[in-house]
Amino acid sequence: MPSGTDKVALVLAGGGSFGAVQVGMLKALVAAGVTADFVVGSSVGAINGAYYAAAGTMETVARLDALWRGITRNDVFPVSWRSMLGFAARRDFLSASHGIRNLIERNLPYRDLEEAPIPIHIIATDLFSGDAVVISKGNAAEAIAASSAIPVAFAPVRVGERFLIDGAVTSNTPVGVAISLGARRLIVLPTGFACNLRAPPQGAVANGLHALTLLIARQLVRELDTMPAEIDYAIVPSLCPLVGSPYDFTRTGALIDDAEKSTRAWIEAGGLFERVIPNQMRPHRHH
């Protein structure tokens, strides 16, 4: 275990609607008294991380829980016949990012990232260079929209002089960023991937998001397998077997409840003190 002077980072990965899993994890962690010195989030993990950073209390997480239980697909992916026709004509993106922006602006209790009571760092990708971009200041809704700008699904977001897209492209589970910011203990919240599918997801966006969740899991395992011994970490196990699609927002309540229950059991079994990569993060299937 690290000394009391070492910084603890809460690291949240992306994963579309599977981000609901992180809400259940957060509820269990906060109830157990787990705290962090700062937060690093990518894609949907940026959304959840930003809400946690508002105070890191049960009240904060309860507001995040209520938000997720009311979200529909159209809140995040506001697709209309007009946008479909535009996609066919422009061949660049399916939807603008105003759905995510609106969710953040209506519900996040601070406007700029530097106003968060717990420091929050959002990860996006520079569209032209492919570099990971760490956003720690400025408009929160803009930064989160940039971090969540899934290629093809959403238009790139301009932040300053950069055009930014989803953090998944370079650093979806940004453990390396957390370490570079001074963390010596990481508490990582993955979202998992659908490991119990019997058929491919239906639709281009659903298939793309499924592929993205596979990328996230592989990236996390690679980073942790080469983690220096002096870095302590705990990986909260994702749900397994996990069914459904990260494009499906009809099961968020069940995902939250199941993840909270499984995380409580993991904490009670001493999981916070084990430097172990959960088996469900490694390649596997149930059929």
Side-chain angles (χ1 to χ4, degrees):
M1 291 293 294
S3 69
T5 59
D6 289 334
K7 290 185 177 181
V8 178
L10 192 69
V11 184
L12 296 97
S17 64
F18 290 164
V21 170
Q22 293 175 336
V23 181
M25 293 174 173
L26 286 171
K27 291 176 70 176
L29 290 169
V30 172
V34 175
T35 60
D37 295 297
F38 64 90
V39 182
V40 181
S42 181
S43 199
V44 75
I47 298 173
N48 291 332
Y51 277 89
Y52 172 86
T57 63
M58 288 301 296
E59 181 181 359
T60 303
V61 178
R63 288 200 297 267
L64 180 61
D65 178 292
L67 175 66
W68 267 95
R69 291 179 190 270
I71 286 177
T72 67
R73 180 188 296 174
N74 196 56
D75 291 326
V76 180
F77 298 93
V79 178
S80 64
W81 282 110
R82 180 177 296 178
S83 65
M84 292 295 291
L85 291 171
F87 177 65
R90 291 188 304 263
R91 298 182 182 275
D92 50 6
F93 60 88
L94 182 62
S95 174
S97 59
H98 61 268
I100 291 174
R101 286 176 185 266
N102 289 342
L103 281 173
I104 302 304
E105 290 173 347
R106 288 198 310 264
N107 297 283
L108 193 66
Y110 55 88
R111 181 182 182 277
D112 294 328
L113 294 175
E114 60 267 35
E115 297 171 0
I118 301 173
I120 171 75
H121 306 279
I122 305 297
I123 313 303
T125 300
D126 187 297
L127 177 64
F128 299 131
S129 69
D131 291 333
V133 178
V134 182
I135 309 173
S136 306
K137 297 180 180 179
N139 186 272
E142 182 178 70
I144 293 169
S147 181
S148 307
I150 303 164
V152 180
F154 294 119
V157 175
R158 185 167 184 169
V159 179
E161 297 302 313
R162 296 177 183 263
F163 286 90
L164 303 180
I165 58 174
D166 199 300
V169 177
T170 51
S171 189
N172 207 290
T173 310
V175 295
V177 171
I179 293 171
S180 72
L181 292 170
R184 289 299 173 265
R185 173 164 168 77
L186 311 175
I187 301 175
V188 183
L189 279 61
T191 59
F193 60 92
C195 54
N196 201 26
L197 294 177
R198 295 180 179 272
Q202 294 184 351
V205 177
N207 270 285
L209 281 170
H210 174 66
L212 192 62
T213 59
L214 295 176
L215 170 67
I216 295 164
R218 303 300 178 268
Q219 185 184 72
L220 173 59
V221 170
R222 285 196 301 270
E223 289 190 79
L224 293 176
D225 276 339
T226 58
M227 186 70 63
E230 63 269 20
I231 302 298
D232 187 39
Y233 62 76
I235 315 299
V236 184
S238 53
L239 297 177
C240 184
L242 181 59
V243 297
S245 163
Y247 190 48
D248 178 11
F249 286 81
T250 64
R251 301 184 62 253
T252 55
L255 292 176
I256 292 170
D257 294 340
D258 290 348
E260 181 181 8
K261 181 179 179 180
S262 67
T263 303
R264 286 184 184 275
W266 173 76
I267 292 171
E268 291 170 1
L272 279 168
F273 308 103
E274 296 180 352
R275 194 176 186 271
V276 174
I277 302 174
N279 289 332
Q280 51 262 57
M281 297 306 301
R282 299 188 183 276
H284 71 280
R285 59 180 296 181
H286 297 274
H287 297 290

